[in-house]
Amino acid sequence: MSLERKFYIICGHYGCGKSNFSMNLAIERARMGRKVMLLDLDLVNPYFLSSGYKEMLEEMGIEVIAPLYANTNVETPALPMNLNLVFETDADVIMDVGGDDAGSVVLGRYFNQLSNVNYELLYVINHYRNLTATAEEAVEILREIEAASRCRATGIVDNSHLKQETVWKTKEKAFSFVDETVALTGLPLIATTIPKFVAKQDGVQALMEQNAERKWYPVDIYVRAPWENE
């Protein structure tokens, strides 16, 4: 990816893997020597907050701006008071936005600032999530997100997976869904994520090379629900 300053907005359906993708993107940029700011804007789902990994991210040199009262027993976190810093910094900014239109409406509050930023709004899709199993459903969710946020998507990220049960066939079976979504939206496919543990399986690297047009993006799995951790 380019070393020029980037402003990423990561949106998608609940549970599609936005936060895990956001963290991988932030870590990648930091390892490239970039100054990175990760903004957690998920005020909807308390279980999958990228800010829940703040200590780990900060050890990597990534500045994390989290919702007020995130990861506490307060049921409704609030927007961070220093949110405007993202429009003043010279760092790469990655905004991890809450799911669907309910989570994306917060972007609408900052429409004026965002309209002056050359942002990339990446729509993360997962063929195996409820309500986005078909391309038509995925497009409907995207249109709701765009209406709520008043921002337009610029690209699609295929993050189709079945958590730890993901294998090569999991990715392959999602290809037609992704291609149809790309065709219906007219948006480019920016990346296809693949868990690194899958990429290391026998024969998978050769299959990835045969399907290089998918723009493979190997990811570590950082974000887990509380019940998935030991």
Side-chain angles (χ1 to χ4, degrees), residues 104-105 107-108 111 114 121 144-152:
S104 299
V105 70
L107 292 177
F111 174 75
L114 288 169
L121 194 157
E144 293 173 355
I145 289 173
E146 289 180 325
S149 67
R150 295 194 286 169
C151 297
R152 302 295 293 180

Side-chain angles (χ1 to χ4, degrees), residues 19-54:
S19 293
N20 196 74
F21 177 74
S22 296
M23 289 176 60
N24 274 272
L25 184 58
I27 291 168
E28 177 197 35
R29 300 295 287 182
R31 286 174 175 167
M32 292 167 69
R34 302 292 296 165
K35 182 180 177 182
V36 181
M37 178 182 291
L38 176 61
L39 175 61
D40 185 346
L41 278 183
D42 193 343
L43 307 182
V44 181
N45 192 334
Y47 293 114
F48 301 97
L49 296 174
S50 54
S51 59
Y53 304 84
K54 183 176 181 180

Side-chain angles (χ1 to χ4, degrees), residues 79-95:
L79 286 173
M81 295 180 63
N82 54 347
L83 181 56
N84 283 319
L85 288 176
V86 302
F87 300 107
E88 302 170 2
T89 181
D90 60 351
D92 290 347
V93 174
I94 299 169
M95 303 179 79

Side-chain angles (χ1 to χ4, degrees), residues 11-225:
C11 294
H13 180 45
Y14 295 112
C16 67
K18 299 182 305 298
S19 293
N20 196 74
F21 177 74
S22 296
M23 289 176 60
N24 274 272
L25 184 58
I27 291 168
E28 177 197 35
R29 300 295 287 182
R31 286 174 175 167
M32 292 167 69
R34 302 292 296 165
K35 182 180 177 182
V36 181
M37 178 182 291
L38 176 61
L39 175 61
D40 185 346
L41 278 183
D42 193 343
L43 307 182
V44 181
N45 192 334
Y47 293 114
F48 301 97
L49 296 174
S50 54
S51 59
Y53 304 84
K54 183 176 181 180
E55 183 176 348
M56 179 194 77
L57 292 166
E58 288 182 339
E59 288 177 355
M60 297 181 180
I62 299 167
E63 182 178 359
V64 180
I65 298 181
L68 298 175
Y69 314 117
N71 304 302
T72 71
N73 59 2
V74 177
E75 293 185 356
T76 307
L79 286 173
M81 295 180 63
N82 54 347
L83 181 56
N84 283 319
L85 288 176
V86 302
F87 300 107
E88 302 170 2
T89 181
D90 60 351
D92 290 347
V93 174
I94 299 169
M95 303 179 79
D96 178 14
V97 182
D100 293 9
D101 54 333
S104 299
V105 70
V106 66
L107 292 177
R109 303 187 190 182
Y110 297 91
F111 174 75
N112 290 333
Q113 292 99 316
L114 288 169
S115 62
N116 294 318
V117 174
N118 185 24
Y119 65 78
E120 292 188 37
L121 194 157
L122 303 183
Y123 180 48
V124 180
I125 57 175
N126 182 351
H127 179 43
Y128 302 100
R129 288 297 297 162
N130 185 35
L131 299 182
T132 58
T134 69
E136 290 77 12
E137 290 174 330
V139 172
E140 182 178 357
I141 295 288
L142 173 59
R143 298 311 178 211
E144 293 173 355
I145 289 173
E146 289 180 325
S149 67
R150 295 194 286 169
C151 297
R152 302 295 293 180
T154 60
I156 288 176
V157 174
D158 171 19
N159 192 49
S160 300
H161 66 88
L162 290 170
K163 294 183 178 290
Q164 296 303 317
E165 296 180 11
T166 303
V167 295
W168 170 257
K169 284 293 185 183
T170 308
K171 301 301 302 183
E172 189 175 48
K173 288 179 180 178
F175 287 173
S176 60
F177 155 76
V178 175
D179 292 343
E180 188 175 352
T181 303
V182 166
L184 289 175
T185 60
L187 296 171
L189 177 64
I190 300 299
T192 299
T193 68
I194 186 167
K196 289 182 179 178
F197 71 84
V198 177
K200 293 177 182 177
Q201 294 172 357
D202 290 344
V204 171
Q205 283 293 330
L207 291 168
M208 290 169 63
E209 291 173 5
Q210 292 171 18
N211 294 273
E213 74 281 359
R214 313 310 301 192
K215 301 178 181 178
W216 296 104
Y217 190 81
V219 295
D220 287 303
I221 307 301
Y222 297 108
V223 179
R224 302 177 187 271

